[in-house]
Amino acid sequence: MLSRVYGALAIRRRRWYETRPEVRRRLRQPVVSVGSLTVGGSGKTPVAADVARVLVSIGERPALLSRGYRRADPIDGVVVVSERGVVKADLQQAGDEPLMLAAHLSEVSVLVAENRHLAGRLAEERLGASVHLLDDGFQHLSLHRDVDLLVVGDGDLADPRTLPGGRLREPPETSSRADALVVQAAEREHARAIAERLGVGEVFHFVKTLGFPRDATDLQEKEVVDGTRVLVVAGIAKPHSFVDDLRASGYHVVDLIQVRDHHPYSRKDVSGIADRAESLKVDFVITTEKDLVRLRLHAPFAFPLLWVPLRVMVQPADHFRSWLTERLATARGATFKTSLLES
């Protein structure tokens, strides 16, 4: 019952914005949104990172705008997490995902604010942004966007219920508002079938891949042989999916310490990890890149800690690049015509 009420309210909210385009605030530069229907675990943040790299490859200067979910120090105004690769904020001010993105996107500025229109204005006026990228933006309806990408992760649509009974933030039918789907699927045909079912004409797909493990101390790649005994520590939306990926890559996962998504690790947590690693006699403790951002506050560690990067690439890459380039050109053309009419 509560899920039906929540879903109905979500649809009503979206329709309110759709019938009142004048209430949506606009930025001067085009806005690309990467979002999802679900609460966590769809892959939208690694997809957003890949979209940012594509934007850089076509000559853009992207500003990635995030709300900085569960920041420990949510100060008013805008936090410039990084300016084209130069990190300027800490974990408490930035949040784990924006700080993680800032560390790897050297040609992208990352900003955090509840008011992403304000963040975008700052990015345009002070940082020279030529395009904006909203991380987790599908439900951020108060800001006009020129490209809406909706990420559909593995199993996202298995349960059609919205919150609080399910994981969806909106009913599946709102997917038709997206300009394109980005579906987690090995084959494009499978992605096309999902897009047809949801009423979206353009579709791309991606596969999550694990990179080489890296040492948490020096961040250098570490050679790990098949069968290596590891204790997994994960505070992400789908930790068992991470465990499955590790096992498929040859790791012998002895146990999993699971905490909630965005969990702020304490010194007591780290001591508990050390005790568990010693009792299990594992070769390494292994964690995700997002968890590492939060764990590194407690370095050095009394156990060998590795982290494994997660990478995705939107496919087919050439088609996605040309499609995105065309959409940005169309958005700029529309803005130019509007400015001529207003003058």
Side-chain angles (χ1 to χ4, degrees):
M1 177 63 181
L2 288 177
S3 292
R4 288 199 297 270
V5 172
Y6 187 99
L9 291 174
I11 289 177
R12 181 178 297 180
R13 174 178 177 268
R14 183 171 285 275
R15 286 176 178 168
W16 189 88
Y17 277 102
E18 289 175 347
T19 57
R20 296 168 178 83
E22 70 279 1
V23 304
R24 286 188 169 185
R25 307 189 76 178
R26 288 177 176 265
L27 291 164
R28 289 197 300 269
Q29 303 298 342
V31 175
V32 179
S33 169
V34 177
S36 71
L37 291 180
T38 61
V39 179
S42 65
K44 59 183 175 294
T45 296
V47 168
D50 187 57
V51 174
R53 295 186 187 99
V54 172
L55 289 169
V56 171
S57 75
I58 61 176
E60 299 287 351
R61 299 183 304 280
L64 192 149
L65 312 180
S66 172
R67 63 174 174 153
Y69 184 61
R70 286 190 177 173
R71 288 180 288 163
D73 184 15
I75 64 175
D76 293 333
V78 181
V79 175
V80 178
V81 180
S82 68
E83 183 177 351
R84 304 193 75 179
V86 180
V87 177
K88 298 186 172 185
D90 59 20
L91 175 63
Q92 284 70 27
Q93 295 174 327
D96 53 7
E97 288 180 346
L99 194 61
M100 179 184 71
L101 290 166
H104 292 285
L105 299 173
S106 60
E107 297 299 319
V108 177
S109 296
V110 179
L111 299 90
V112 165
E114 286 293 329
N115 184 339
R116 283 190 261 190
H117 178 263
L118 181 64
R121 289 287 301 275
L122 187 150
E124 290 174 349
E125 294 171 4
R126 299 187 189 178
L127 307 181
S130 67
V131 65
H132 304 284
L133 182 60
L134 300 185
D135 181 25
D136 196 10
F138 194 62
Q139 288 77 33
H140 191 66
L141 302 175
S142 61
L143 183 64
H144 170 81
R145 68 287 309 279
D146 300 282
V147 182
D148 242 327
L149 299 173
L150 183 63
V151 179
V152 179
D154 185 34
D156 280 1
L157 303 177
D159 184 351
R161 294 177 301 165
T162 59
L163 297 168
R167 294 180 58 241
L168 299 184
R169 292 185 274 190
E170 294 183 277
E173 56 262 34
T174 60
S175 302
S176 62
R177 272 68 165 188
D179 295 304
L181 292 188
V182 184
V183 180
Q184 183 180 354
E187 301 294 336
R188 196 177 185 196
E189 288 71 21
H190 177 56
R192 283 186 184 278
I194 292 176
E196 289 176 5
R197 177 156 57 94
L198 295 177
V200 182
E202 188 64 70
V203 61
F204 304 93
H205 65 102
F206 71 96
V207 176
K208 295 180 181 179
T209 58
L210 297 182
F212 292 106
R214 293 178 177 270
D215 190 284
T217 303
D218 58 18
L219 306 184
Q220 298 300 308
E221 289 186 3
K222 187 83 171 180
E223 184 176 356
V224 177
V225 299
D226 287 355
T228 297
R229 290 169 55 85
V230 298
L231 168 65
V232 177
V233 177
I236 55 177
K238 294 181 178 179
H240 292 285
S241 177
F242 179 58
V243 169
D244 291 343
D245 289 341
L246 288 172
R247 285 178 171 146
S249 299
Y251 297 89
H252 175 38
V253 178
V254 178
D255 198 6
L256 165 67
I257 295 178
Q258 178 182 346
V259 297
R260 64 183 175 85
D261 198 6
H262 305 281
H263 174 70
Y265 290 99
S266 65
R267 174 52 61 182
K268 182 179 179 181
D269 290 330
V270 175
S271 295
I273 295 169
D275 292 342
R276 189 67 176 147
E278 183 177 2
S279 68
L280 294 173
K281 300 189 183 313
V282 297
D283 299 300
F284 297 101
V285 175
I286 198 161
T287 193
T288 71
E289 189 171 6
K290 188 167 80 170
D291 284 286
L292 179 70
V293 172
R294 289 171 274 129
L295 280 167
R296 288 186 68 187
L297 295 175
H298 304 289
F301 304 102
F303 48 85
L305 178 63
L306 303 180
W307 61 279
V308 180
L310 175 66
R311 296 290 180 263
V312 307
M313 180 178 290
V314 180
Q315 299 285 354
D318 290 342
H319 177 48
F320 179 66
R321 186 180 295 107
S322 61
W323 179 85
L324 187 57
T325 302
E326 183 178 337
R327 292 296 305 231
L328 293 177
T330 300
R332 289 183 170 118
T335 300
F336 179 71
K337 288 179 182 178
T338 301
S339 64
L340 285 178
L341 290 173
E342 291 176 348
S343 62

